[in-house]
Amino acid sequence: MHTFDVIIAGCGPTGAMLAAELRLHDVRVLVLEQETEPVSFVRIVGLHIRSIELMAMRGLLERIRVHARQRPAAGFFAAIAKPVPPGLDSAHAYLLGIPQPVIVDLLSQHAEALGAEIRRGCAVVDLEQDDDGVTVELAGGERLRSRYLVGCDGARSTVRKLLGVAFPGEPSRHDTLMGEMEAGVPPEEIAATVTSVRDTHKSFTVQPFGDGVYRVVVPAARVSERTEPPTIEDFRQELRTVAGTDFGVHSPRWLSRFGDATRLAERYRVGRVLLAGDAAHIHPPAGGQGLNLGVQDAVNLGWKLAGQVRGWAPDELLDTYETERHPVAAEVLDNTRAQTALFSPEPGAQALRRLLSELMDFDEVNRHLIEKITAIGIRYDFGAGPDLLGRRLRDVEVKQGRLYDLLRRGRGLLLDRTERLSVGGWADRVDHLGDPTAAVAGPGLLLRPDGHVAWIGDDQRELDGQLSRWFGKPVL
């Protein structure tokens, strides 16, 4: 007997979001988190447009706004400051900055409210899978049984290593220190020095964060093999090297180190075990895409894995998780490689940065890069059809209110302007909205639970074929 349908290793944003997505479909979920307490440091992370849209789809956005700071959707690509281009295709064209422990806590509470079980202080040390399920062994010797296992356990993923999935890419070549601390010199002196240093070191900043605290980001002279956080003396040394002064920094709130390793798992699935988030891909933090990429993995995977568990998913549906998300991660790795090169103080890289900055004065170029960073430019390959096919549909007004409010249950949705179409035997998985709004293009649109357009048309037989493709056999 399987005690759980799905065990998730790791309760970061990806694992918590995936647990909630599965619970929307009444899947029995256990989340195992090896840490007993949340992280002590309060790093601010950014929710980009596509992730904000997903939060709106699940009714979480207003809860998040209370804890977040909103800023314009601009200046993401290599921190090149350009204004927001006109016509971004989203009702949520902004960034939300939020402390990482807060977003993890909100998503964990959401998952638990839906019925997921979260156990902390539980480290996965081994796994075995067979045709019927997966046996997971914990550090204390306890063995648990589930139908599927998903590794959302970070860059050093135990699940990925136990699977033997290769993680090719480049090791870290440069370290950067980041932290929050107080300074012992006047703000005017800090601002003047930072302005001068950033002429050549674009990744360097000492930014006021309120109450006399500064957010410090400084490149390190060498790559460290240490896994523990840096010390305040490490910051002082690197600040003196880069800026010629350590600004008298003291009283740190938190200190961390990150590298620019870039790796992508060769496979996202081996039998009944899958990978998501940092367990499947790591890259430099340029553009702030990491958390967003993992959350979007979770929403893509959740309904497909739930369909497999519930028994209605077509045989190939679960495989579309890898075929859709692996190329997206590969593109993120490429754009972070490019951004990292543009941060280099070398003359050639700085010349290239100036050239790109000129090109970004064209709205089309600026918009293309913002859509890439914020993931609203993604188009999955669903076959030949209009450009909207495979893209997510923006939030629009419908008769019942907002479109995204109709996707909160994680079901498919047919928008039917013809009022002649039907979801028939798929009504247990797909909702039907007749005469939605003139703002919805096309006579009929079938949306997947993640908001991507799976079909456009007015022919019932074509629609039935696409319903079968994405939602399995109808109930007769």
Side-chain angles (χ1 to χ4, degrees):
M1 295 292 294
H2 301 104
T3 308
F4 301 96
D5 294 318
V6 179
I7 291 177
I8 299 171
C11 195
T14 303
M17 190 71 185
L18 177 59
E21 292 293 292
L22 291 167
R23 283 302 305 158
L24 289 174
H25 302 274
D26 202 29
V27 173
R28 297 170 300 167
V29 181
L30 171 65
V31 185
L32 301 172
E33 170 55 53
Q34 69 174 3
E35 301 297 333
T36 56
E37 299 291 338
V39 294
S40 58
F41 57 85
V42 187
R43 178 182 297 167
I44 302 297
V45 294
L47 288 180
H48 281 309
I49 296 173
R50 181 56 183 147
S51 296
I52 295 171
E53 291 179 337
L54 294 175
M55 298 304 160
M57 285 182 190
R58 299 303 186 251
L60 293 167
L61 183 53
E62 294 311 312
R63 246 182 286 177
I64 290 170
R65 280 187 191 277
V66 175
H67 304 276
R69 179 177 297 178
Q70 183 172 323
R71 54 160 285 195
F76 301 142
F77 196 88
I80 297 175
K82 297 294 177 182
V84 180
L88 279 181
D89 181 34
S90 179
H92 304 280
Y94 50 84
L95 175 89
L96 288 178
I98 186 169
Q100 183 165 342
V102 173
I103 188 65
V104 172
D105 187 51
L106 288 172
L107 293 178
S108 298
Q109 290 179 24
H110 175 55
E112 289 181 306
L114 290 171
E117 180 181 348
I118 299 176
R119 297 185 192 175
R120 303 190 181 276
C122 295
V124 175
V125 297
D126 202 3
L127 65 89
E128 297 176 0
Q129 63 172 313
D130 52 45
D131 292 341
D132 296 321
V134 185
T135 301
V136 175
E137 183 177 340
L138 306 184
E142 183 180 4
R143 294 167 68 86
L144 301 170
R145 183 75 173 166
S146 68
R147 298 176 66 181
Y148 290 90
L149 168 68
V150 186
C152 301
D153 50 344
R156 296 181 176 86
S157 171
T158 298
V159 172
R160 186 189 65 243
K161 293 172 183 176
L162 291 171
L163 281 179
V165 171
F167 204 37
E170 304 91 53
S172 185
R173 296 184 175 93
H174 304 93
D175 271 6
T176 300
L177 306 186
M178 177 186 290
E180 290 178 7
M181 61 205 71
E182 296 180 36
V185 299
E188 301 79 17
E189 180 180 335
I190 294 175
T193 303
V194 170
T195 299
S196 174
V197 174
R198 280 182 60 83
D199 283 342
T200 53
H201 289 83
K202 302 298 182 182
S203 61
F204 172 78
T205 185
V206 181
Q207 181 179 3
F209 205 63
D211 299 325
V213 174
Y214 288 83
R215 167 73 53 80
V216 177
V217 181
V218 58
R222 62 185 64 83
V223 176
S224 174
E225 298 299 325
R226 294 184 295 161
T227 57
E228 67 271 15
T231 65
I232 190 66
E233 185 54 42
D234 291 330
F235 273 80
R236 293 173 180 143
Q237 180 178 329
E238 300 299 349
L239 286 168
R240 289 192 292 266
T241 300
V242 173
T245 174
D246 62 14
F247 302 106
V249 293
H250 64 93
S251 305
R253 288 185 175 181
W254 59 266
L255 307 173
S256 68
R257 175 191 291 107
F258 61 86
D260 60 355
T262 306
R263 298 185 181 277
L264 177 60
E266 283 191 345
R267 303 176 62 183
Y268 280 16
R269 179 188 178 192
V270 178
R272 291 178 173 268
V273 185
L274 301 101
L275 302 172
D278 288 353
H281 38 69
I282 58 171
H283 52 82
Q289 299 166 90
L291 179 149
N292 296 273
L293 186 60
V295 166
Q296 292 155 29
D297 284 348
V299 176
N300 184 285
L301 173 60
W303 66 280
K304 298 173 181 178
L305 183 54
Q308 194 76 20
V309 170
R310 304 301 296 172
W312 55 255
D315 291 341
E316 64 277 6
L317 181 64
L318 192 53
D319 290 332
T320 67
Y321 165 61
E322 179 175 328
T323 59
E324 291 175 4
R325 296 304 298 171
H326 197 277
V328 170
E331 287 200 11
V332 170
L333 265 61
D334 274 354
N335 83 54
T336 56
R337 287 182 178 109
Q339 291 182 76
T340 300
L342 292 170
F343 282 121
S344 169
E346 294 297 320
Q350 290 304 299
L352 186 59
R353 185 184 180 90
R354 290 190 292 272
L355 175 60
L356 181 60
S357 182
E358 291 178 14
L359 292 174
M360 289 175 67
D361 286 333
F362 293 97
D363 284 342
E364 294 83 357
V365 176
N366 191 16
R367 184 182 301 107
H368 175 75
L369 293 176
I370 288 177
E371 289 178 350
K372 184 181 289 291
I373 295 289
T374 62
I376 61 173
I378 291 172
R379 183 179 188 236
Y380 297 137
D381 183 7
F382 294 168
D387 183 68
L388 185 59
L389 184 67
R391 298 189 184 276
R392 97 281 180 266
L393 192 63
R394 64 175 289 158
D395 195 10
V396 295
E397 291 281 354
V398 293
K399 288 193 305 182
Q400 287 81 352
R402 301 294 303 184
L403 172 65
Y404 284 4
D405 290 340
L406 304 181
L407 294 167
R408 290 191 178 186
R409 295 194 294 167
R411 294 159 57 91
L413 176 64
L414 175 65
L415 301 174
D416 177 19
R417 292 179 64 190
T418 73
E419 297 192 82
R420 294 183 287 100
L421 300 170
S422 169
V423 297
W426 293 272
D428 62 325
R429 286 152 270 171
V430 182
D431 294 324
H432 178 232
L433 179 62
D435 187 25
T437 170
V440 176
L445 277 76
L446 177 63
L447 302 185
R448 306 192 318 182
D450 57 4
H452 281 261
V453 179
W455 174 80
I456 304 172
D458 59 6
D459 183 273
Q460 183 67 52
R461 282 190 292 182
E462 284 185 7
L463 173 59
D464 288 348
Q466 292 302 313
L467 287 165
S468 295
R469 174 184 179 183
W470 297 111
F471 299 99
K473 296 179 180 179
V475 176
L476 301 177

